[in-house]
Amino acid sequence: MRSTPPNRSSLHSGWRRLGTAATATAALLFAGLGTAVQADATPTAAGKVTYVATPCATPKHTGDLTCKSYRVTGGLTAFQKQQAARTGITPKAADASTPSGYSPTNLRSAYGLTSAAASNGSGETIAIVDAYNDPNAEADLATYRSYYGLSACTTANGCFKKVSQTGSTTSLPSSDAGWSEEISLDLDMASAICPLCNITLVEATSASYANLGTAENEAVALGAKFVSNSYGGSESSSQTSYDTSYYKHAGVAITVSAGDSGYGAEYPATSQYVTAVGGTKLSTSSTTRGWTETVWRTSSSEGTGSGCSSYDAKPSWQTDTGCTKRMESDVSAVADPATGVSVYDSYGVTAGWYTFGGTSVSAPIIAGVYALAGTPASGTYPAQYPYDYAGTSSLNDVTSGYNGSCSTAYFCTAETGYDGPTGWGTPEGVSAFAN
């Protein structure tokens, strides 16, 4: 058991969504040597990544759930460092005219999904549940998919569908610029991982538990076997009733962001019926895999969530001994904004390309992996599937980094095998996500 990492809150007291001191080595080599550059405490520092929380990360009303994403505003991302090393030309920071984050090809390479993405997913539907309406959702998705050479996914060809929480295609919620950024992120990541999948966007009237939960049920009622949720909030004694009302859907893979505030459990990630998805920093490397990952942590208040639930019962398939109730997370994927992903968005911002991070990135990625793995078996809860492959080559074990201070080391510190911040690790192919 590793010792608990030091509490470094005092070192980060002045950092508010501006990033962390650079710890990187020299510029990345295109061949994969080196590590990605992290954010910097000084927003004007040349080449250092700065970012802001997506507006939907701030609740509109008391009790609302919030999205889990950050948008890069300056500095050079890991992807741009790769470009600079390859071409000798330094890209323009936060340039909306061209992608500055990881592409679908990068993500599939990192997670061993290149072959599966080319052949799997046809006929499967991934549902994205978010709040409010993105009036440009279909058009922005078309731009993303066209740029990266993915097949068209439109209402006309039956691949894309947008509905309200009641299933209406015409009576939609009020539009919201912040949640539109989140919606673009989620749609693009589902497309990046499973380009042959159909996508249904279910827009809740607001970000309340009742409305997002109603949207969740509608997604399942419409036939989706894979549902991504990039939102969350504090735990409460009401959550066990929300479990049975909204998230208990046997035979459906439901993924939920673990949170972006560092160590501490969030709901619905701690629901016993969902797959809680943590976040990593994803960098190229000289290993056989070509990539390496550590726990995503920017500061004492920014990083992947994790923790032991105060309310939800521990499912039978989760066997860690330090937490007597539900432990978060189960698996993980990239979430660090400095090693973030490219997204196209046009509503409420300058139309263009942005780089996003947060566990809002990792949740739809894992939903896509489940979809590539095939329809879940009826009567099962797919959150269990990765546990059946624990410690195998089907998962990349993340063994370094931490997301805060805790009394039980693995709750907040990566180590060999299971840990809270990254669960059993990240995908290496689809085997660990199939029944």
Side-chain angles (χ1 to χ4, degrees), residues 17-39:
R17 298 184 175 93
L18 293 176
T20 177
T23 59
T25 59
L28 284 168
L29 299 179
F30 181 61
L33 301 175
T35 58
V37 171
Q38 292 185 322

Side-chain angles (χ1 to χ4, degrees), residues 101-123:
Y102 287 142
S103 69
T105 299
N106 295 142
L107 295 173
R108 293 177 211 148
S109 168
Y111 296 125
L113 303 171
T114 302
S115 177
S119 58
N120 298 3
S122 180

Side-chain angles (χ1 to χ4, degrees), residues 55-144:
C56 52
T58 301
K60 284 178 173 289
H61 311 102
T62 302
D64 276 2
L65 301 177
T66 60
C67 66
K68 304 299 171 183
S69 53
Y70 292 96
R71 177 167 54 85
V72 171
T73 58
L76 299 183
T77 65
F79 175 79
Q80 290 177 304
K81 288 286 186 179
Q82 290 175 355
Q83 286 183 305
R86 183 175 74 252
T87 66
I89 301 172
T90 301
K92 181 180 178 181
D95 181 5
S97 68
T98 186
S100 56
Y102 287 142
S103 69
T105 299
N106 295 142
L107 295 173
R108 293 177 211 148
S109 168
Y111 296 125
L113 303 171
T114 302
S115 177
S119 58
N120 298 3
S122 180
E124 302 287 9
T125 297
I126 300 173
I128 302 297
V129 173
D130 279 313
Y132 299 101
N133 177 45
D134 177 0
N136 298 354
E138 185 171 357
D140 288 351
L141 177 62
T143 299
Y144 179 89

